[in-house]
Amino acid sequence: MPKRARNFKRLILGDVLEIPLSKHRFAYAQFIYYYKDPPVWGSLIRVLPGVFSRRPDSFSKLVQEQERFVAFFPAGVAVKSDYIQIVANEEIPALC
């Protein structure tokens, strides 16, 4: 069965998010959990190390590195509003 086209406006676990910074640089984060039980906190992301001047060719090694920090962030709204974009989907490391 052929794989269906991915809608890059809807988050799924493991999505890597590109966050634009000043001076045409980028940071990356990974969507690791959605907390929907009351109180609803929303999307939990891990901010990956480094600041980049261009998009890496692969994110598999980057997501294996220790994150800078973890935070709740309205990632779904940010993606739908085109503030950030989904650039890849990688397996979430076991230590998260």
Side-chain angles (χ1 to χ4, degrees), residues 64 66-67 92-96:
Q64 295 302 320
Q66 179 68 36
E67 65 273 352
I92 299 169
L95 297 176
C96 283

Side-chain angles (χ1 to χ4, degrees), residues 67-85:
E67 65 273 352
R68 296 180 78 179
F69 60 91
V70 176
F72 285 101
F73 176 74
V77 173
V79 167
K80 288 178 184 174
S81 301
D82 291 325
Y83 292 119
I84 63 174
Q85 63 179 322

Side-chain angles (χ1 to χ4, degrees), residues 14-69:
D15 278 348
V16 177
L17 310 170
E18 183 175 74
I19 305 164
L21 304 174
S22 63
K23 299 180 184 177
H24 304 289
R25 296 177 303 160
F26 303 95
Y28 293 92
Q30 187 178 33
F31 173 52
I32 59 171
Y33 186 73
Y34 187 77
Y35 193 93
K36 60 185 172 187
D37 294 329
V40 178
W41 290 13
S43 302
L44 183 64
I45 62 168
R46 56 189 292 259
V47 177
L48 303 172
V51 174
F52 301 84
S53 57
R54 65 178 185 84
R55 184 179 296 166
D57 294 329
S58 173
F59 292 95
S60 56
K61 289 183 181 177
L62 183 61
V63 299
Q64 295 302 320
E65 294 183 26
Q66 179 68 36
E67 65 273 352
R68 296 180 78 179
F69 60 91

